[in-house]
């Protein structure tokens, strides 16, 4: 482990992102954190966190995964470290010390950003750019604010490290209907959403695969110390 306090737990959205982080840790000898697959989306995540007291106070939680860019400055495969998350005018900060330590351990490859958390998929490029400009946010995800609010209230230090999987130049398919109420992905609406917009789907898949590769690499980099 590199020269900062150990990370106790990694939370990462279930599915491909979770698998990428696990692959990144697979060759690591020495102590590695517990990796927990979390549901996608704000409400399912909050419910999940409230049900399980699996994280002790004073511990350090790293949230990892993919995100979308709201700014021309960030493009597919860029690694970003959050300073804070906003949602409907409210803001939650990431742990500054923890974030600074992570930043210095992978500094040549990572940008510090402000994030927006959304309760639905932001699929339109025009909407992404508008949100980026009006809210002064750099990236968007569907879990950050909820996790920060929950852990900040219980004295757990949180940092968020994500990889950009889609930019704000092109639309992606609107996959909101593919996310179940429990935060799992529903294969049929997912496939239908992709088929309805084949070009956007191809772009999203390509961007996601590239970003997942980087997610695996950055996980490995962090813990091979």
């Amino acid at each position: 482990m590199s020269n900062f306090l150990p990370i106790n737990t990694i939370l990462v959205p279930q599915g491909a992102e979770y698998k990428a982080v696990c692959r990144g840790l697979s060759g690591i000898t020495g102590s590695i954190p517990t990796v927990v697959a979390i549901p996608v989306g704000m409400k399912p995540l909050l419910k999940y966190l409230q049900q399980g007291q699996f994280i002790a106070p004073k511990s350090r939680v790293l949230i990892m995964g993919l995100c979308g860019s709201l700014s021309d400055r960030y493009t597919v495969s860029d690694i970003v470290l959050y300073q804070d998350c906003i949602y409907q005018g409210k803001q939650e900060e990431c742990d500054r010390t923890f974030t600074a330590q992570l930043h210095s351990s992978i500094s040549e490859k990572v940008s510090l950003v402000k994030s927006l958390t959304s309760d639905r998929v932001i699929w339109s490029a025009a909407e992404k750019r508008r949100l980026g400009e009006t809210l002064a946010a750099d990236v968007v995800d569907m879990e950050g604010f909820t996790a920060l609010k929950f852990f900040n209230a219980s004295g757990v230090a949180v940092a968020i490290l994500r990889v950009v999987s889609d930019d704000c130049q092109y639309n992606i398919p609107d996959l909101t209907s593919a996310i179940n109420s429990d935060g799992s992905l529903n294969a049929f609406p997912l496939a239908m959403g992709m088929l309805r917009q084949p070009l956007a789907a191809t772009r999203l898949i390509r961007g996601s695969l590239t970003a997942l590769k980087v997610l695996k690499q950055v996980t490995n980099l962090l813990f091979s110390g």
Side-chain angles (χ1 to χ4, degrees), residues 67-78 116 122-134 137-140 163-172 203-204 207:
C67 62
S69 173
L70 301 177
S71 156
D72 292 332
R73 289 194 300 280
Y74 304 101
T75 183
V76 173
S77 82
D78 283 355
L116 165 69
I122 309 290
W123 57 270
S124 137
E127 187 182 10
K128 281 188 181 176
R129 285 197 296 274
R130 184 178 57 76
L131 287 169
E133 283 158 19
T134 54
D138 303 302
V139 297
V140 61
V163 180
V164 175
S165 60
D166 51 284
D167 60 26
C168 63
Q169 303 294 324
Y170 301 102
N171 294 347
I172 60 170
R203 206 175 276 121
L204 176 65

Side-chain angles (χ1 to χ4, degrees), residues 197-219:
Q197 295 157 289
L199 201 68
T202 306
R203 206 175 276 121
L204 176 65
I205 292 166
R206 199 180 297 140
S208 299
L209 290 173
T210 305
L212 288 166
K213 205 174 286 174
V214 175
L215 183 62
K216 178 190 140 187
Q217 289 161 350
V218 74
T219 305

Side-chain angles (χ1 to χ4, degrees), residues 81 100-112 221:
L81 194 56
Q101 288 165 336
L102 281 169
H103 189 239
S104 65
S105 67
I106 41 172
S107 57
E108 74 284 0
K109 301 182 181 72
V110 65
S111 309
L112 286 166
L221 180 78

Side-chain angles (χ1 to χ4, degrees), residues 2 9 25 30 38 43-44 60 63 111 127 149 152 158 169 179 195 200 215:
S2 30
T9 310
L25 291 171
I38 57 172
K43 280 194 184 124
R60 288 179 149 211
I63 296 169
S111 309
E127 187 182 10
K149 189 175 179 193
N152 285 347
V158 180
Q169 303 294 324
I179 300 170
L195 289 169
L215 183 62

Side-chain angles (χ1 to χ4, degrees), residues 26-65:
S26 63
I28 305 287
T29 52
S31 65
I32 58 168
T34 310
V35 186
V36 179
I38 57 172
V40 173
M42 299 184 73
K43 280 194 184 124
L45 177 60
L46 181 59
K47 194 173 161 191
Y48 177 80
L49 292 173
Q50 286 169 339
Q51 280 166 356
Q53 286 305 319
F54 56 87
I55 290 161
K58 300 281 175 269
S59 59
R60 288 179 149 211
V61 172
L62 177 61
I63 296 169
M64 299 185 79

